[in-house]
Amino acid sequence: DAGITQSPRYKITETGRQVTLMCHQTWSHSYMFWYRQDLGHGLRLIYYSAAADITDKGEVPDGYVVSRSKTENFPLTLESATRSQTSVYFCASSEIPGQNTEAFFGQGTRLTVV
Amino acid sequence: GDSVTQMEGPVTLSEEAFLTINCTYTATGYPSLFWYVQYPGEGLQLLLKATKADDKGSNKGFEATYRKETTSFHLEKGSVQVSDSAVYFCALRMTTDSWGKLQFGAGTQVVVTP
């Protein structure tokens, strides 16, 4: 199916464990983004990428790492999960940014760290 | 830095009521402005956008006008339906940002009752 898909949709993990959230898009968009959604904060940018092997930190990158070996995939890894990383995570993709460029979002992954 | 401020929710309305969600922004340059909608259990979808001052974005009965003099982009709908119940996010993207990063407000939950 065309679009942007995230997996898993729901995840419960223990403090200190490593967990990877997957994001896959079928449009061959160059740009991809990871946001976290928390009550009162809206969406905050964690990491972003302009192409395979080109990534940069966003507003709240601490405790996360990303990789982009293929254009269509942009996994987000929590190296050692903490309770403060309990959140809903959204992946997004877009074409090269321009006035009429639209970002497309996945359905989100709800992560609970216990 | 650049930021977006939205009115806090939840906003509870009866069907066919008029909806306004206030959004103001702070930016050092000239942003493009967006409204995204998140229906329950789903990711974000672009609702409408405006790329320059005095532009009006519209979609699905919703409208918002880019007001440079008041740095605002208020969302309005004349007659809401139960199906409009969702969380609405105002966002900006700086035209000088080659990465196309979006800066979101905190979101406003709207509940429409029959």
Side-chain angles (χ1 to χ4, degrees), chain A residues 9 31 33 35 37 40-43 45 48-50 54-56 59 90 97-103 105-107, chain B residues 32 34 36 38 41-46 49 51-52 87 89 93 95 97-107:
Chain A
R9 290 293 309 279
Y31 289 74
F33 308 84
Y35 293 88
Q37 181 183 18
H41 292 280
L43 278 76
L45 184 63
Y48 50 99
S49 171
I54 301 176
T55 62
D56 204 353
E59 182 184 352
F90 287 99
Q99 272 201 336
N100 292 312
T101 302
E102 178 180 347
F105 285 78
Q107 290 189 295
Chain B
S32 295
F34 305 83
Y36 279 84
Q38 183 184 25
E42 298 185 10
L44 279 72
Q45 304 173 23
L46 179 64
K49 66 182 178 185
T51 59
K52 61 183 186 296
V87 180
F89 292 93
R93 184 176 70 204
T95 52
D97 181 356
S98 60
W99 293 83
K101 302 188 297 293
L102 288 162
Q103 180 74 40
F104 286 90

Side-chain angles (χ1 to χ4, degrees), chain A residues 11-22:
Chain A
K11 176 75 176 177
I12 299 174
T13 192
E14 294 178 339
T15 301
R17 290 202 182 261
Q18 182 181 81
V19 60
T20 296
L21 310 183
M22 305 301 293

Side-chain angles (χ1 to χ4, degrees), chain A residues 43-102:
Chain A
L43 278 76
R44 292 179 291 175
L45 184 63
I46 306 171
Y47 267 96
Y48 50 99
S49 171
D53 297 324
I54 301 176
T55 62
D56 204 353
K57 296 177 180 179
E59 182 184 352
V60 288
D62 292 344
Y64 304 95
V65 294
V66 292
S67 61
R68 186 119 182 254
S69 57
K70 292 184 178 181
T71 300
E72 61 267 29
N73 297 323
F74 191 38
L76 176 74
T77 297
L78 287 67
E79 295 183 294
S80 178
T82 65
R83 289 197 178 91
S84 65
Q85 292 177 309
T86 292
S87 186
V88 181
Y89 292 84
F90 287 99
C91 179
S93 72
S94 73
E95 296 176 323
I96 295 173
Q99 272 201 336
N100 292 312
T101 302
E102 178 180 347

